[in-house]
Amino acid sequence: MISGEFHHPESAGLPAALVNAIRVALAHEPQHKEPGSYPLQGEKLFMNIMEFAASSPDEKKAEQHEAYVDIQLLLSGDEQIYYGFYGSARECEELHVEEDYQLCNHIENQQVLTLRAGQFAVFMPNEPHKPGCIVTRPAAIKKVVIKVHRSLLVA
């Protein structure tokens, strides 16, 4: 997991492909778009815009992906993301290959990150994460999840 402020993504030490993905997504002004999926570079780079109320972590399952990197940009509100390192997902359900996700009930040695509007978190393949959790109480958030196919990271 890597985090930083999305107006200065290079300061987080991200690979060029991830910095570019953030800049391309922001150029499409996601703060003015309705929730939905938007292509940025075919199936290798796209963004999902979401609006929902953050909820208790006890009500959520963790997710992980195999083919895509998740870059989660928080446009408004606050959220906590519970996460773990590579291979720390436990009690996992079946992998949904076509949609590239797997839900898990537990993260071993779980960590917590608080995101504020204007910040991002990057989750590499097989790093479990549970986004959209409340900070102090349920509140509305708007966010963009940029999906970057792992093949774009190969030099």
Side-chain angles (χ1 to χ4, degrees):
M1 190 280 304
I2 303 169
S3 65
E5 293 181 336
F6 61 66
H7 293 293
H8 306 285
E10 64 285 340
S11 68
L14 294 175
L18 299 183
V19 170
N20 181 61
I22 291 171
R23 288 195 173 128
V24 167
L26 290 175
H28 283 82
E29 299 184 337
Q31 67 274 19
H32 301 300
K33 293 192 181 299
E34 293 297 317
S37 187
Y38 297 87
L40 300 172
Q41 188 180 325
E43 293 181 12
K44 295 205 183 241
L45 180 63
F46 60 95
M47 66 179 174
N48 295 323
I49 299 175
M50 303 169 207
E51 289 183 279
F52 59 92
S55 58
S56 168
D58 297 334
E59 299 172 10
K60 300 172 129 328
K61 293 185 179 190
E63 62 185 63
Q64 64 180 0
H65 314 284
E66 285 196 347
Y68 286 87
V69 174
D70 258 16
I71 306 174
Q72 304 210 3
L73 282 68
L74 192 59
L75 298 172
S76 65
D78 298 324
E79 75 173 316
Q80 286 192 323
I81 300 177
Y82 291 72
Y83 70 96
F85 303 113
Y86 180 90
S88 64
R90 301 289 182 267
E91 301 170 28
C92 295
E93 298 174 6
E94 83 176 78
L95 172 66
H96 298 267
V97 177
E98 289 294 316
E99 297 88 12
D100 189 45
Y101 79 92
Q102 183 177 36
L103 298 177
C104 303
N105 292 311
H106 181 69
I107 301 172
E108 187 174 306
N109 298 317
Q110 179 172 263
Q111 306 291 309
V112 181
L113 170 69
T114 299
L115 280 186
R116 309 272 185 229
Q119 298 176 334
F120 70 86
V122 177
F123 297 96
M124 301 304 285
N126 296 303
E127 287 184 344
H129 49 286
K130 189 189 301 187
C133 298
I134 60 172
V135 175
T136 55
R137 58 178 169 49
I141 63 174
K142 184 171 185 177
K143 69 187 304 180
V144 178
V145 179
I146 304 167
K147 306 294 278 186
V148 182
H149 194 271
R150 65 187 318 152
S151 65
L152 294 178
L153 296 178
V154 179

